[in-house]
Amino acid sequence: MTLDLPLIWAGLIAFAVLAYVILDGFDLGVGILFPLVRGERHRDEMMNSVAPVWDGNETWLVLGGGGLFAVFPLAFAIIMPALYAPIMAMLLGLVFRGVAFEFRWKTRRGQFLWDWAFAGGSILAGFAQGVALGALVQGIPVEGRAYAGGWWDWLTPFSLLTGVALTVGYGLLGATWLILKTEGHVQRRAYDIAFIAAPATILLIGLVSLWTPFLNTVYATRWFGWPHVLLAIPVPLAVLGVSYVLLRGLTERRELSPFLASLALFVLCFIGLGVSFFPHIVPNSVTIWAAAAPDNSLTFLLVGAAVLIPLILAYTAYAYWVFRGKVNSVGGYH
Amino acid sequence: MESFDALTLARIQFAFTVSFHIIFPAFTIGLASYLAVLNALWLRTVQGAYLDLFNYWKKIFAVAFGMGVVSGIVMSYQIGTNWSVWSDKVGPVLGPLMGYEVLSAFFLEAGFLGVMLFGRERVGPKLHFLATLMVALGTFMSAFWILSVNSWMQTPAGYAINEAGQFIATDWWAVIFNPSFPYRLVHMLLAAYLTTALVVGAVGALHLLRNRANPAARIMFSMAMWMAAVVAPLQIAAGDFHGLNTLEHQPAKVAAMEGHFDTHAGAPLILFGIPNAAEGRIDYQVSIPYLGSLILTHQWDGVVRGLNEWPADQRPPVGIVFWSFRIMVGIGFAMLGLGAWGLWLRYRRRLYDAPWLHRAAIAMGPSGFVAVLAGWITTEVGRQPWTVYGLLTTAQSASRIDAAAVGASLLAFIIVYFILFGAGTFYILRLMNAAPHSHESGLAPGQPIRAAGIMPAPAMAAKDALPTAEKEPVS
C-alpha cells in the first residue's frame, strides 16, 4: 500500500491553518474590539481572557508557514512573493500586538500606547490576512516556478472586501468569546457588538461567496458543475443553519452557543475555500502533487508530526479546559 | 542608485532582521541553562538566595523570550517573501529540518515555559525543576536544528539535485550532521553561555558596587566569573577548531578573515591593517611572520591560499570579514582577561571587594552580543557570494520583487524594530537595575496569568490564581 503523502500533508497543513484562523481569530478579535470598550479595567479583563492562550494560538501560524515551506516549497516560493505586502503588514501587526501583551503591564504612563499597539496590531493583522486570502483566491500569475505578477496585484476590490470580511468575522469571534468568558459591563458590550457583527459577517460571507464563482470559470465549475454541485450545495445550506443558531443564541442571551456557531461559520467558510481550491494549492496553476517535495522529505517530517501534533493537541485541549470559566480584571479565573 | 537594487535591499533587510533576532536567542539559550542551574542549586541547598535569583532572572527571561519569538516568526516568513527561489530549491532538504525545529523545540519551550514561569506552587518543586530543564532543552533543540540548517548551507552534504533543480536529501544523517555543523553548534552554544555569563556578571557587579553585602549579587557575580574563567578559554579553542574546519571547506572565507590576498608558504599573521581590496593588499599592516601558517596549518612554512586564487566574483567582501573577525577575536581575549582577573582576585579573596573589576565587568556586559554579531557577520559575509556554498548564489536565491517593495518593508521593519525592541530593552534594563532582594516575586505586580505558550503550564497558573481571585471583592 502506498500512502498519498502530498495529500496527507495538504490535509495537515490545511488543519494547521484552520486551527490558526479559529484560535488566533478570537484573540485577534478581542484586540480588534479594544477601541469599542472604554475603561482600563474592562480592557484588562478583555486582555486577560486571551492572555494565557494567545501565543500558543499563534504558534499554529508558524506551523502552517513552516510546514508549507517544508512540504510544498514550490507553493511557498510562489505564494509568499505574490502576497508580499499583506504578509509584511501582517507580520508587523503581529509583532506589535505580541509585544503589547508583555509591555502593557510594565508601565502605567505608557499603557494607553500599548492599548493602541494591541488594537492597531490586531486590526492590521486581521485585515492583512483577509487581503492575503482574497489575493490568493483571485488567482496568482505563475511563470515557470515563480510568481509572475507585479507587487500591487494583491490590491483589488475583491481582496479589500475579503480583508473587511475577515476583520469583521474576527470581531464576531472576539465578541462571542468575550460573551463566554466575561460578565457584567464587558459582557453587555460584547452582546451589543455581536448583534451588529453577526449579521455583518453573514452578509459579507454571502457577498464573498457570490463573487468568488465569477472570478474565474474553474471556481464556477467546481461549485455549480455536475456532480460537484452535490458536494458543494450542503456548504451554503449549513451556513444558513448555523447563522440561525447564532442569531437565536444572541437574542436568547445564551453564552456558549454564539461562540460555537461563530466558530462553525469559520469552519464552513474554510471548507468552502477547500471546494474552490482542491486539488490546487496555488489556485488554478499548481496542484498539491506538483508543489510537493519528494516523498522522502515528506516521510521524514511526517514521523515527527505524527508523534508531536497529537501531543500538542492534547495539551492545548487541557490548557483550555483548565482555563474554562469566567475571567476578571486581575487575571484570575473563577 | 545602482547599488540599491532589490537584491541589496533584500540582503540588508535579512541582515537587519536576523541580527536583531539572534540577540535574543543568544541570551535566552544561556539564560535558560542558568535558570536550570539556579533551580537545581536551590533544590540542593534550600538557600533562599538561589530562589530569589531564579525569580529575578525569570522575569527578564520572559521578556527576552517573547521578543525572540516574535522576531523569529518574521524570519520564517521572510525566507519566502524575499528569498523565494532559495525556498523552492532548498525546501525539500532544509524544510523538514526547520519543521522539526518548530515541532519539537518551539512547542517544548513554549509548552513548559508556562510551568516554569507560573507553576512552582502548583506542580511542586521537582516537576517545576523538570519544566525548567525542558525549557533549557527546548532552547538547545532550537539551536541544534537552526544551526544544522545554517551549517548545511555552508557545507552541503547528503544531497542530490532533481530535474526541477531542487536539492533533495539522499542521506538525512549526512544532511543534519554535515561537516561544519558540530563545530558551529559548539561555538554558538559556548557563545550563548559566555554572553549570558557576561550579562549576569555585569548585573551582579552593578549591585555589588551599590551594596557589596547583597547575597544574591555576590552569588551571581561569582558564578559569572567562574563561567568567564572556564568558558572563555574553551571558546577560544573551539573557535580555533571551527576555523580549521572552515579552512578545509571554505578556504576563501579564511583568506578574507586573515586578510591574505596572495598565496604563500610561511604566511604571516596579520594583526591589524586596512584591507585594500582594489589593490589586493593590506595597507599599514602589523603582522607576525610565519604565525599565520603556524595557526592554520600547524607548520611554520605551511602554504596558505590567498584570495587571488578565486575569480573576483567568487570572493567575499574582504573589509567586512577582516574587521568583524578581529572584533570577535579581540572580545574573546578580553573575556579571557576578565576571567583571569576574576580568578586572581578570587585567589586573593577580594572578588567582592574590587570596584575596578566590577566596573570592568559592567563595561563588558554587552560585549557578548557584539562578539556574537561579529562572529555571525564573519561567517555569513565570508560565505558570499553563495547561499548554498559553491552551488547556489545569493543573487540567484532572491525573489523577483521590485526594489520599492523591499525598500518600503525594510524601512517599516527598521522603524518598528527600533520602537518595539527599544522599549523591550528598556524594560529589561529597568528590571536589571532593580537590586535582587530576598523574597523576590515571580511576577510583575498586576501582570496577568499568561502562559507564553499554552499547555499544562497555564493550567497550573490558573489554579495559582484561584486564591487571589477569591480574595478579591466580588464585583
Side-chain angles (χ1 to χ4, degrees):
Chain A
M1 191 189 80
T2 54
L3 290 171
D4 190 344
L5 288 165
L7 191 64
I8 292 171
W9 267 110
L12 276 175
I13 287 173
F15 177 76
V17 173
L18 177 64
Y20 171 74
V21 169
I22 62 174
L23 292 176
D24 211 29
F26 73 74
D27 71 56
L28 282 167
V30 168
I32 290 166
L33 301 183
F34 235 49
L36 300 178
V37 180
R38 301 249 157 230
E40 287 307 316
R41 262 195 58 230
H42 299 310
R43 289 182 175 175
D44 288 354
E45 204 174 329
M46 292 169 72
M47 205 176 212
N48 284 340
S49 77
V50 291
V53 291
W54 76 273
D55 59 356
N57 295 345
E58 222 154 78
T59 309
W60 290 99
L61 181 68
V62 182
L63 200 61
L68 195 66
F69 169 56
V71 179
F72 301 108
L74 179 59
F76 186 74
I78 292 169
I79 292 171
M80 289 299 146
L83 306 181
Y84 194 91
I87 295 272
M88 290 291 177
M90 174 193 83
L91 292 174
L92 290 169
L94 290 178
V95 170
F96 257 104
R97 75 185 290 276
V99 298
F101 274 102
E102 266 319 312
F103 294 172
R104 189 170 175 274
W105 308 94
K106 296 258 180 286
T107 167
R108 196 172 291 277
R109 243 180 332 167
Q111 195 170 46
F112 74 99
L113 287 175
W114 298 118
D115 279 1
W116 281 109
F118 184 57
S122 302
I123 293 167
L124 180 63
F127 182 71
Q129 285 172 9
V131 169
L133 174 69
L136 189 63
V137 171
Q138 74 197 3
I140 293 173
V142 177
E143 216 175 87
R145 299 177 69 83
Y147 171 60
W151 94 280
W152 283 105
D153 284 16
W154 54 272
L155 185 65
T156 62
F158 180 75
S159 69
L160 290 177
L161 177 70
T162 53
V164 172
L166 196 64
T167 313
V168 174
Y170 280 168
L172 174 67
L173 279 179
T176 53
W177 167 260
L178 289 173
I179 289 172
L180 181 64
K181 302 299 284 187
T182 64
E183 321 166 280
H185 177 78
V186 176
Q187 195 192 38
R188 282 194 297 278
R189 279 297 288 156
Y191 271 116
D192 294 345
I193 294 164
F195 265 114
I196 300 164
T201 303
I202 295 163
L203 183 74
L204 286 161
I205 290 173
L207 277 177
V208 172
S209 308
L210 288 176
W211 196 332
T212 304
F214 294 103
L215 288 171
N216 68 56
T217 51
V218 180
Y219 292 151
T221 335
R222 280 179 195 155
W223 279 99
F224 306 124
W226 190 263
H228 293 85
V229 71
L230 285 181
L231 289 166
I233 211 73
V235 179
L237 288 179
V239 169
L240 286 177
V242 168
S243 301
Y244 173 74
V245 174
L246 171 62
L247 294 172
R248 206 185 133 128
L250 286 174
T251 43
E252 290 178 358
R253 296 255 152 183
R254 288 177 187 274
E255 294 195 331
L256 180 60
S257 75
F259 181 62
L260 294 181
S262 306
L263 288 184
L265 274 185
F266 270 80
V267 174
L268 287 169
C269 291
F270 198 75
I271 293 172
L273 280 174
V275 172
S276 296
F277 279 22
F278 190 82
H280 288 110
I281 191 163
V282 181
N284 306 328
S285 51
V286 182
T287 66
I288 291 167
W289 296 275
D295 274 3
N296 76 337
S297 299
L298 306 194
T299 314
F300 180 62
L301 190 57
L302 191 61
V303 175
V307 176
L308 289 162
I309 288 182
L311 273 177
I312 292 159
L313 284 174
Y315 60 54
T316 304
Y318 181 62
Y320 275 88
W321 171 249
V322 173
F323 279 100
R324 68 194 184 279
K326 303 282 185 184
V327 69
N328 63 28
S329 63
V330 293
Y333 279 72
H334 50 253
Chain B
M1 207 165 113
E2 180 67 28
S3 62
F4 271 50
D5 53 6
L7 175 66
T8 311
L9 288 166
R11 289 176 65 183
I12 293 172
Q13 187 180 112
F14 200 85
F16 177 78
T17 48
V18 82
S19 299
F20 246 97
H21 174 66
I22 190 65
I23 288 172
F24 301 105
F27 183 41
T28 49
I29 291 168
L31 200 52
S33 296
Y34 184 54
L35 285 169
V37 170
L38 287 173
N39 203 340
L41 286 171
W42 179 67
L43 283 177
R44 264 182 75 107
T45 65
V46 205
Q47 272 188 43
Y50 287 120
L51 183 61
D52 293 335
L53 272 178
F54 180 86
N55 284 332
Y56 181 84
W57 285 104
K58 186 173 88 172
K59 284 177 281 193
I60 292 164
F61 181 85
V63 181
F65 186 86
M67 292 196 284
V69 170
V70 288
S71 58
I73 292 178
V74 171
M75 304 308 308
S76 68
Y77 277 83
Q78 207 173 41
I79 56 174
T81 52
N82 288 346
W83 304 98
S84 60
V85 179
W86 174 89
S87 298
D88 177 27
K89 290 194 188 301
V90 305
V93 171
L94 298 184
L97 271 52
M98 290 172 73
Y100 269 99
E101 196 267 339
V102 174
L103 280 172
S104 59
F106 202 2
F107 280 102
L108 199 62
E109 294 168 22
F112 288 96
L113 186 64
V115 183
M116 182 178 111
L117 293 181
F118 307 112
R120 187 199 316 280
E121 288 78 5
R122 264 315 118 185
V123 298
K126 291 231 171 80
L127 211 56
H128 178 258
F129 176 55
L130 180 76
T132 312
L133 278 182
M134 286 297 146
V135 171
L137 180 70
T139 58
F140 168 77
M141 292 306 293
S142 269
F144 178 93
W145 288 111
I146 291 299
L147 286 168
S148 176
V149 166
N150 180 274
S151 299
W152 186 86
M153 292 193 287
Q154 306 266 4
T155 52
Y159 68 92
I161 295 175
N162 70 9
E163 63 277 13
Q166 292 173 304
F167 295 97
I168 55 171
T170 53
D171 178 354
W172 285 108
W173 187 266
V175 167
I176 296 167
F177 294 96
N178 59 76
S180 66
F181 173 52
Y183 300 92
R184 200 179 312 275
L185 180 66
V186 169
H187 200 42
M188 180 62 204
L189 286 178
L190 291 177
Y193 285 146
L194 264 179
T195 300
T196 306
L198 285 159
V199 173
V200 171
V203 173
L206 175 70
H207 296 300
L208 281 178
L209 279 177
R210 288 175 184 168
N211 170 18
R212 66 183 63 151
N214 185 330
R218 290 167 79 106
I219 291 171
M220 66 171 129
F221 185 69
S222 169
M223 290 175 84
M225 285 300 109
W226 274 123
M227 278 300 278
V230 175
V231 179
L234 285 177
Q235 177 68 319
I236 289 168
D240 182 48
F241 281 114
H242 190 183
L244 293 178
N245 177 266
T246 307
L247 181 67
E248 188 182 336
H249 297 281
Q250 301 174 313
K253 184 192 284 184
V254 173
M257 283 155 62
E258 298 289 339
H260 290 149
F261 285 93
D262 299 312
T263 300
H264 37 200
L269 179 74
I270 300 171
L271 296 177
F272 286 105
I274 313 282
N276 184 340
E279 301 286 324
R281 61 163 193 266
I282 304 287
D283 295 333
Y284 312 108
Q285 63 170 281
V286 181
S287 56
I288 302 171
Y290 299 110
L291 193 57
S293 282
L294 194 63
I295 290 173
L296 291 170
T297 64
H298 293 188
Q299 282 173 324
W300 71 276
D301 60 349
V303 174
V304 176
R305 294 165 75 190
L307 282 167
N308 291 340
E309 293 217 1
W310 286 271
D313 62 353
Q314 288 183 25
R315 292 178 209 157
V318 183
I320 297 173
V321 179
F322 182 86
W323 282 114
S324 62
F325 178 63
R326 268 150 195 75
I327 290 169
M328 175 187 75
V329 172
I331 291 174
F333 279 96
M335 290 172 179
L336 184 73
L338 187 73
W341 190 2
L343 271 186
W344 170 245
L345 288 179
R346 194 191 297 273
Y347 171 73
R348 301 276 310 273
R349 301 186 178 282
R350 283 182 43 220
L351 187 64
Y352 307 115
D353 190 21
W356 280 106
L357 175 68
H358 301 163
R359 287 185 193 113
I362 292 170
M364 292 279 290
S367 66
F369 298 109
V370 179
V372 164
L373 284 173
W376 276 108
I377 288 169
T378 304
T379 198
E380 293 303 299
V381 177
R383 58 126 154 219
Q384 297 303 325
W386 309 101
T387 44
V388 181
Y389 206 73
L391 297 166
L392 183 69
T393 66
T394 309
Q396 288 165 342
S397 304
S399 305
R400 276 172 274 166
I401 296 279
D402 290 356
V406 188
S409 58
L410 171 62
L411 196 65
F413 275 115
I414 290 175
I415 293 168
V416 168
Y417 274 34
F418 272 108
I419 293 173
L420 293 184
F421 296 118
T425 308
F426 172 75
Y427 294 135
I428 285 182
L429 289 175
R430 203 165 64 179
L431 286 170
M432 288 174 171
N433 189 42
H437 52 82
S438 53
H439 307 295
E440 185 82 32
S441 76
L443 275 176
Q447 181 146 11
I449 306 306
R450 53 109 187 70
I454 26 178
M455 339 318 178
M460 309 313 161
K463 289 181 196 154
D464 273 355
L466 272 173
T468 331
E470 280 161 12
K471 271 179 241 152
E472 290 292 318
V474 181
S475 53

PDB file of all heavy atoms in Angstrom, chain A residues 4-24:
ATOM      1  N   ASP A   4      -0.649   8.384  -0.070  1.00  0.00           N
ATOM      2  CA  ASP A   4      -0.561   9.604  -0.858  1.00  0.00           C
ATOM      3  C   ASP A   4      -0.053  10.716   0.065  1.00  0.00           C
ATOM      4  O   ASP A   4      -0.823  11.480   0.645  1.00  0.00           O
ATOM      5  CB  ASP A   4      -1.933   9.955  -1.437  1.00  0.00           C
ATOM      6  CG  ASP A   4      -1.823  11.079  -2.453  1.00  0.00           C
ATOM      7  OD1 ASP A   4      -0.791  11.763  -2.474  1.00  0.00           O
ATOM      8  OD2 ASP A   4      -2.784  11.258  -3.224  1.00  0.00           O
ATOM      9  N   LEU A   5       1.275  10.752   0.213  1.00  0.00           N
ATOM     10  CA  LEU A   5       1.869  11.667   1.185  1.00  0.00           C
ATOM     11  C   LEU A   5       1.522  13.138   0.945  1.00  0.00           C
ATOM     12  O   LEU A   5       1.198  13.855   1.883  1.00  0.00           O
ATOM     13  CB  LEU A   5       3.381  11.465   1.234  1.00  0.00           C
ATOM     14  CG  LEU A   5       3.828  10.160   1.909  1.00  0.00           C
ATOM     15  CD1 LEU A   5       5.288   9.869   1.592  1.00  0.00           C
ATOM     16  CD2 LEU A   5       3.626  10.240   3.412  1.00  0.00           C
ATOM     17  N   PRO A   6       1.596  13.611  -0.314  1.00  0.00           N
ATOM     18  CA  PRO A   6       1.234  15.022  -0.511  1.00  0.00           C
ATOM     19  C   PRO A   6      -0.183  15.331  -0.042  1.00  0.00           C
ATOM     20  O   PRO A   6      -0.432  16.387   0.550  1.00  0.00           O
ATOM     21  CB  PRO A   6       1.373  15.222  -2.028  1.00  0.00           C
ATOM     22  CG  PRO A   6       2.372  14.206  -2.443  1.00  0.00           C
ATOM     23  CD  PRO A   6       2.118  13.011  -1.556  1.00  0.00           C
ATOM     24  N   LEU A   7      -1.102  14.398  -0.270  1.00  0.00           N
ATOM     25  CA  LEU A   7      -2.493  14.642   0.135  1.00  0.00           C
ATOM     26  C   LEU A   7      -2.609  14.677   1.664  1.00  0.00           C
ATOM     27  O   LEU A   7      -3.290  15.540   2.227  1.00  0.00           O
ATOM     28  CB  LEU A   7      -3.395  13.539  -0.448  1.00  0.00           C
ATOM     29  CG  LEU A   7      -4.891  13.812  -0.329  1.00  0.00           C
ATOM     30  CD1 LEU A   7      -5.284  15.045  -1.134  1.00  0.00           C
ATOM     31  CD2 LEU A   7      -5.691  12.600  -0.811  1.00  0.00           C
ATOM     32  N   ILE A   8      -1.908  13.751   2.324  1.00  0.00           N
ATOM     33  CA  ILE A   8      -1.915  13.740   3.793  1.00  0.00           C
ATOM     34  C   ILE A   8      -1.388  15.065   4.326  1.00  0.00           C
ATOM     35  O   ILE A   8      -1.958  15.686   5.225  1.00  0.00           O
ATOM     36  CB  ILE A   8      -1.053  12.574   4.328  1.00  0.00           C
ATOM     37  CG1 ILE A   8      -1.710  11.243   3.985  1.00  0.00           C
ATOM     38  CG2 ILE A   8      -0.839  12.709   5.838  1.00  0.00           C
ATOM     39  CD1 ILE A   8      -0.838  10.050   4.281  1.00  0.00           C
ATOM     40  N   TRP A   9      -0.297  15.515   3.727  1.00  0.00           N
ATOM     41  CA  TRP A   9       0.312  16.770   4.192  1.00  0.00           C
ATOM     42  C   TRP A   9      -0.559  17.976   3.887  1.00  0.00           C
ATOM     43  O   TRP A   9      -0.621  18.915   4.670  1.00  0.00           O
ATOM     44  CB  TRP A   9       1.715  16.945   3.603  1.00  0.00           C
ATOM     45  CG  TRP A   9       2.749  16.400   4.528  1.00  0.00           C
ATOM     46  CD1 TRP A   9       3.514  15.282   4.357  1.00  0.00           C
ATOM     47  CD2 TRP A   9       3.130  16.926   5.806  1.00  0.00           C
ATOM     48  NE1 TRP A   9       4.338  15.083   5.437  1.00  0.00           N
ATOM     49  CE2 TRP A   9       4.121  16.081   6.340  1.00  0.00           C
ATOM     50  CE3 TRP A   9       2.717  18.029   6.565  1.00  0.00           C
ATOM     51  CZ2 TRP A   9       4.718  16.301   7.583  1.00  0.00           C
ATOM     52  CZ3 TRP A   9       3.316  18.253   7.801  1.00  0.00           C
ATOM     53  CH2 TRP A   9       4.288  17.397   8.298  1.00  0.00           C
ATOM     54  N   ALA A  10      -1.224  17.937   2.726  1.00  0.00           N
ATOM     55  CA  ALA A  10      -2.137  19.051   2.420  1.00  0.00           C
ATOM     56  C   ALA A  10      -3.214  19.117   3.491  1.00  0.00           C
ATOM     57  O   ALA A  10      -3.570  20.203   3.967  1.00  0.00           O
ATOM     58  CB  ALA A  10      -2.758  18.851   1.034  1.00  0.00           C
ATOM     59  N   GLY A  11      -3.703  17.936   3.910  1.00  0.00           N
ATOM     60  CA  GLY A  11      -4.706  17.898   4.970  1.00  0.00           C
ATOM     61  C   GLY A  11      -4.150  18.441   6.275  1.00  0.00           C
ATOM     62  O   GLY A  11      -4.793  19.237   6.971  1.00  0.00           O
ATOM     63  N   LEU A  12      -2.898  18.056   6.623  1.00  0.00           N
ATOM     64  CA  LEU A  12      -2.292  18.517   7.879  1.00  0.00           C
ATOM     65  C   LEU A  12      -2.092  20.032   7.873  1.00  0.00           C
ATOM     66  O   LEU A  12      -2.351  20.713   8.869  1.00  0.00           O
ATOM     67  CB  LEU A  12      -0.937  17.834   8.090  1.00  0.00           C
ATOM     68  CG  LEU A  12      -0.964  16.445   8.720  1.00  0.00           C
ATOM     69  CD1 LEU A  12       0.445  15.852   8.749  1.00  0.00           C
ATOM     70  CD2 LEU A  12      -1.519  16.519  10.136  1.00  0.00           C
ATOM     71  N   ILE A  13      -1.627  20.548   6.732  1.00  0.00           N
ATOM     72  CA  ILE A  13      -1.372  21.992   6.686  1.00  0.00           C
ATOM     73  C   ILE A  13      -2.686  22.760   6.678  1.00  0.00           C
ATOM     74  O   ILE A  13      -2.818  23.790   7.346  1.00  0.00           O
ATOM     75  CB  ILE A  13      -0.475  22.331   5.487  1.00  0.00           C
ATOM     76  CG1 ILE A  13       0.935  21.845   5.809  1.00  0.00           C
ATOM     77  CG2 ILE A  13      -0.474  23.826   5.193  1.00  0.00           C
ATOM     78  CD1 ILE A  13       1.903  21.948   4.699  1.00  0.00           C
ATOM     79  N   ALA A  14      -3.678  22.219   5.962  1.00  0.00           N
ATOM     80  CA  ALA A  14      -4.995  22.859   5.998  1.00  0.00           C
ATOM     81  C   ALA A  14      -5.515  22.878   7.431  1.00  0.00           C
ATOM     82  O   ALA A  14      -6.060  23.886   7.896  1.00  0.00           O
ATOM     83  CB  ALA A  14      -5.970  22.105   5.094  1.00  0.00           C
ATOM     84  N   PHE A  15      -5.271  21.792   8.152  1.00  0.00           N
ATOM     85  CA  PHE A  15      -5.708  21.723   9.540  1.00  0.00           C
ATOM     86  C   PHE A  15      -4.985  22.777  10.390  1.00  0.00           C
ATOM     87  O   PHE A  15      -5.599  23.479  11.207  1.00  0.00           O
ATOM     88  CB  PHE A  15      -5.460  20.329  10.111  1.00  0.00           C
ATOM     89  CG  PHE A  15      -5.818  20.215  11.555  1.00  0.00           C
ATOM     90  CD1 PHE A  15      -7.146  20.125  11.946  1.00  0.00           C
ATOM     91  CD2 PHE A  15      -4.835  20.247  12.540  1.00  0.00           C
ATOM     92  CE1 PHE A  15      -7.488  20.049  13.279  1.00  0.00           C
ATOM     93  CE2 PHE A  15      -5.168  20.172  13.883  1.00  0.00           C
ATOM     94  CZ  PHE A  15      -6.500  20.074  14.249  1.00  0.00           C
ATOM     95  N   ALA A  16      -3.666  22.910  10.173  1.00  0.00           N
ATOM     96  CA  ALA A  16      -2.893  23.892  10.944  1.00  0.00           C
ATOM     97  C   ALA A  16      -3.396  25.307  10.662  1.00  0.00           C
ATOM     98  O   ALA A  16      -3.532  26.125  11.565  1.00  0.00           O
ATOM     99  CB  ALA A  16      -1.405  23.776  10.618  1.00  0.00           C
ATOM    100  N   VAL A  17      -3.681  25.584   9.384  1.00  0.00           N
ATOM    101  CA  VAL A  17      -4.157  26.929   9.027  1.00  0.00           C
ATOM    102  C   VAL A  17      -5.531  27.180   9.641  1.00  0.00           C
ATOM    103  O   VAL A  17      -5.790  28.245  10.205  1.00  0.00           O
ATOM    104  CB  VAL A  17      -4.185  27.111   7.495  1.00  0.00           C
ATOM    105  CG1 VAL A  17      -4.838  28.430   7.124  1.00  0.00           C
ATOM    106  CG2 VAL A  17      -2.768  27.047   6.935  1.00  0.00           C
ATOM    107  N   LEU A  18      -6.408  26.160   9.572  1.00  0.00           N
ATOM    108  CA  LEU A  18      -7.738  26.311  10.170  1.00  0.00           C
ATOM    109  C   LEU A  18      -7.619  26.520  11.684  1.00  0.00           C
ATOM    110  O   LEU A  18      -8.278  27.390  12.258  1.00  0.00           O
ATOM    111  CB  LEU A  18      -8.601  25.087   9.865  1.00  0.00           C
ATOM    112  CG  LEU A  18      -9.993  25.092  10.509  1.00  0.00           C
ATOM    113  CD1 LEU A  18     -10.834  26.240   9.976  1.00  0.00           C
ATOM    114  CD2 LEU A  18     -10.716  23.765  10.269  1.00  0.00           C
ATOM    115  N   ALA A  19      -6.759  25.710  12.308  1.00  0.00           N
ATOM    116  CA  ALA A  19      -6.559  25.858  13.751  1.00  0.00           C
ATOM    117  C   ALA A  19      -6.088  27.269  14.059  1.00  0.00           C
ATOM    118  O   ALA A  19      -6.544  27.908  15.009  1.00  0.00           O
ATOM    119  CB  ALA A  19      -5.536  24.836  14.253  1.00  0.00           C
ATOM    120  N   TYR A  20      -5.171  27.773  13.231  1.00  0.00           N
ATOM    121  CA  TYR A  20      -4.691  29.130  13.447  1.00  0.00           C
ATOM    122  C   TYR A  20      -5.834  30.136  13.324  1.00  0.00           C
ATOM    123  O   TYR A  20      -6.013  31.000  14.176  1.00  0.00           O
ATOM    124  CB  TYR A  20      -3.573  29.488  12.454  1.00  0.00           C
ATOM    125  CG  TYR A  20      -3.257  30.956  12.554  1.00  0.00           C
ATOM    126  CD1 TYR A  20      -2.547  31.435  13.636  1.00  0.00           C
ATOM    127  CD2 TYR A  20      -3.751  31.864  11.623  1.00  0.00           C
ATOM    128  CE1 TYR A  20      -2.319  32.786  13.797  1.00  0.00           C
ATOM    129  CE2 TYR A  20      -3.534  33.217  11.777  1.00  0.00           C
ATOM    130  CZ  TYR A  20      -2.819  33.670  12.865  1.00  0.00           C
ATOM    131  OH  TYR A  20      -2.617  35.003  13.029  1.00  0.00           O
ATOM    132  N   VAL A  21      -6.613  30.004  12.255  1.00  0.00           N
ATOM    133  CA  VAL A  21      -7.634  31.020  11.967  1.00  0.00           C
ATOM    134  C   VAL A  21      -8.682  31.073  13.068  1.00  0.00           C
ATOM    135  O   VAL A  21      -9.055  32.150  13.531  1.00  0.00           O
ATOM    136  CB  VAL A  21      -8.293  30.744  10.594  1.00  0.00           C
ATOM    137  CG1 VAL A  21      -9.525  31.608  10.409  1.00  0.00           C
ATOM    138  CG2 VAL A  21      -7.293  31.003   9.480  1.00  0.00           C
ATOM    139  N   ILE A  22      -9.129  29.913  13.534  1.00  0.00           N
ATOM    140  CA  ILE A  22     -10.173  29.992  14.560  1.00  0.00           C
ATOM    141  C   ILE A  22      -9.603  30.310  15.939  1.00  0.00           C
ATOM    142  O   ILE A  22     -10.247  30.973  16.737  1.00  0.00           O
ATOM    143  CB  ILE A  22     -11.079  28.738  14.598  1.00  0.00           C
ATOM    144  CG1 ILE A  22     -10.285  27.502  14.947  1.00  0.00           C
ATOM    145  CG2 ILE A  22     -11.804  28.543  13.287  1.00  0.00           C
ATOM    146  CD1 ILE A  22     -11.177  26.288  15.122  1.00  0.00           C
ATOM    147  N   LEU A  23      -8.367  29.849  16.216  1.00  0.00           N
ATOM    148  CA  LEU A  23      -7.815  30.102  17.556  1.00  0.00           C
ATOM    149  C   LEU A  23      -7.288  31.532  17.669  1.00  0.00           C
ATOM    150  O   LEU A  23      -7.638  32.272  18.586  1.00  0.00           O
ATOM    151  CB  LEU A  23      -6.711  29.100  17.876  1.00  0.00           C
ATOM    152  CG  LEU A  23      -7.167  27.650  18.055  1.00  0.00           C
ATOM    153  CD1 LEU A  23      -5.980  26.741  18.282  1.00  0.00           C
ATOM    154  CD2 LEU A  23      -8.142  27.533  19.218  1.00  0.00           C
ATOM    155  N   ASP A  24      -6.403  31.905  16.730  1.00  0.00           N
ATOM    156  CA  ASP A  24      -5.903  33.275  16.811  1.00  0.00           C
ATOM    157  C   ASP A  24      -7.012  34.242  16.413  1.00  0.00           C
ATOM    158  O   ASP A  24      -6.976  35.408  16.775  1.00  0.00           O
ATOM    159  CB  ASP A  24      -4.671  33.464  15.912  1.00  0.00           C
ATOM    160  CG  ASP A  24      -3.702  34.511  16.476  1.00  0.00           C
ATOM    161  OD1 ASP A  24      -3.671  34.662  17.718  1.00  0.00           O
ATOM    162  OD2 ASP A  24      -3.009  35.165  15.697  1.00  0.00           O
TER     163      ASP A  24
END
